Amino acid sequence: MADDSVPLPFPNLKVPQWHYQLTHIERLQMAPYLRHVESDNVNLIAKLEEKNKTTLDELEAKLKDAEENQGESEISELLRSRAMYYCRIGDRENSIPALETALEKTAGLGARIDLVLAMVRVGLFFSDNQLITSNITRAEDLIDSGGDWDRRNRLKVYRALHHLSVRNYKEAAELLIDSLSTFTATELMEYEEFVALAVLAAGVGCDRKGINSEVTGCIPSIPNLATMTDSLYKSNYSQFFLSLAEVEQQYLLPNPILAPHARYYVREMRIRAYTQLLESYRSLTLERMCRSFGVSEGFMDRDLSRFIASGRLACTIDKVSGVITTNKLSAQNKTAVYEQVLKQGDLLLNDIQKLHRVVG
């Protein structure tokens, strides 16, 4: 029996969102996609498949008429329409061949680039990294051969999404921040979502100064992200932890590209905050650090121990005295000694070369 103090999630407030998504799927006639996700809504699939067949038959009839009575441009336009319909309904099996056929019959460079970018979108939709990378390379080649600046800027956003999907946050942040003032890739996302991705990528991919200078001016309309970046920059760590949890629920987990990396992202942000605080001290008490982050000593001890053991934090914990001691100075000393050895080695090599010339 459920604990009376814990309210049950009924009615579930996520249900309207699920219904809204299903309504969009029905409106876009995405029968192949429903089969791809193994939906058990047999009646809806049958209904949408009938609509798919009707639309494709109409396109085929128009295409046949164009081949018999019209020119190459009309044929090319209809091939593109058919390919985009396959993309619209989520037909992975037929969309790429249809796009390739349209690409062969399309003469204009801009239209050819758009078709290749559509293949990248199919790859992003189905998380097919090979399809994404191969067609990003094709798009780059086409753009380098004379593509316009609009498509060049849009390609940056495509590349950034791919980098996000493989945890390359530094490259993603650079591309997204560079596109803040030139964003036109509305076929991928709305501008506010784009700004959110730029801030999220910068959180891991940029240093503290970079986060503040590059993205904070773009996020007044995104409260949780603004709070997360501002609290980290101002060293308000307890607020940072709270806003990080909200960002995970609101931006990471609902996003198909970011969701698989949500735990990694949150872990990296915690490491960044811990490192930022520890850099200011030679040592501090565990109780003081817990108070700064608003967590229990048990949680902090487990979290720090895990990161210390994996080499991500340069510090040690004395559990008897409850003191955290940083190893930053010793690490700096090791670096200085290493540089000194290299310098002395260069001098020794120079002396040996001089001696060789004299002896020779």
Side-chain angles (χ1 to χ4, degrees), residues 116-130:
V116 174
L117 291 179
M119 296 184 204
V120 179
R121 291 199 299 276
V122 173
L124 289 168
F125 188 85
F126 290 104
S127 302
D128 187 333
N129 280 328
Q130 183 177 357

Side-chain angles (χ1 to χ4, degrees), residues 29-154:
Q29 304 174 3
M30 300 182 72
Y33 176 70
L34 288 175
R35 287 203 176 277
H36 173 74
V37 298
E38 299 179 351
S39 171
D40 58 0
N41 196 333
V42 179
N43 293 333
L44 178 59
I45 292 175
K47 174 184 173 183
L48 296 182
E49 283 181 336
E50 185 64 31
K51 291 182 178 180
N52 293 162
K53 185 178 184 303
T54 300
T55 302
L56 288 169
D57 287 346
E58 290 175 357
L59 286 170
E60 290 294 341
K62 291 179 181 178
L63 182 58
K64 185 177 180 180
D65 178 69
E67 290 172 343
E68 294 175 353
N69 304 308
Q70 300 182 43
E72 291 296 325
S73 60
E74 290 80 8
I75 295 172
S76 174
E77 183 178 350
L78 284 167
L79 287 172
R80 292 199 301 271
S81 297
R82 183 180 65 177
M84 295 313 299
Y85 183 74
Y86 279 126
C87 294
R88 166 185 157 178
I89 64 178
D91 191 334
R92 182 177 185 175
E93 182 179 348
N94 291 309
S95 58
I96 297 302
L99 287 165
E100 292 286 3
T101 301
L103 185 63
E104 292 174 3
K105 297 292 185 179
T106 299
L109 181 59
R112 290 173 62 82
I113 294 171
D114 290 342
L115 288 169
V116 174
L117 291 179
M119 296 184 204
V120 179
R121 291 199 299 276
V122 173
L124 289 168
F125 188 85
F126 290 104
S127 302
D128 187 333
N129 280 328
Q130 183 177 357
L131 184 62
I132 296 168
T133 54
S134 62
N135 284 289
I136 282 178
T137 302
R138 292 173 75 182
E140 287 173 341
D141 292 340
L142 287 170
I143 288 172
D144 289 342
S145 68
D148 57 72
W149 281 105
D150 175 65
R151 290 179 173 87
R152 188 181 297 274
N153 289 328
R154 283 164 53 202

Side-chain angles (χ1 to χ4, degrees), residues 241 263-275 278 289 299-317:
F241 260 29
R263 291 182 63 184
Y264 169 84
Y265 185 90
V266 172
R267 182 170 67 247
E268 291 299 309
M269 292 299 287
R270 293 207 310 271
I271 291 173
R272 166 156 288 192
Y274 292 150
T275 302
L278 292 170
M289 192 161 182
F299 173 86
M300 182 61 71
D301 180 58
R302 289 191 303 273
D303 219 29
L304 292 180
S305 297
R306 182 158 55 111
F307 297 140
I308 293 169
S310 61
R312 300 301 307 278
L313 290 177
C315 64
T316 57
I317 302 175

Side-chain angles (χ1 to χ4, degrees), residues 6 13 16 34 36 54 85 90 110 123-124 142 161 207-208 212 220 226 251 277 303 337:
V6 181
L13 298 184
L34 288 175
H36 173 74
T54 300
Y85 183 74
L124 289 168
L142 287 170
L161 285 181
D207 57 21
R208 181 186 181 193
N212 184 62
Y251 294 100
L277 175 62
D303 219 29
V337 171

Side-chain angles (χ1 to χ4, degrees), residues 186-225:
T186 52
E187 71 275 16
L188 292 174
M189 67 193 84
E190 298 298 327
Y191 183 69
E192 184 173 294
E193 183 182 356
F194 165 76
V195 173
L197 287 179
V199 176
L200 289 167
V204 174
C206 296
D207 57 21
R208 181 186 181 193
K209 182 179 179 181
I211 295 173
N212 184 62
S213 61
E214 298 289 355
V215 299
T216 52
C218 306
I219 55 176
S221 61
I222 314 177
N224 288 335
L225 283 173

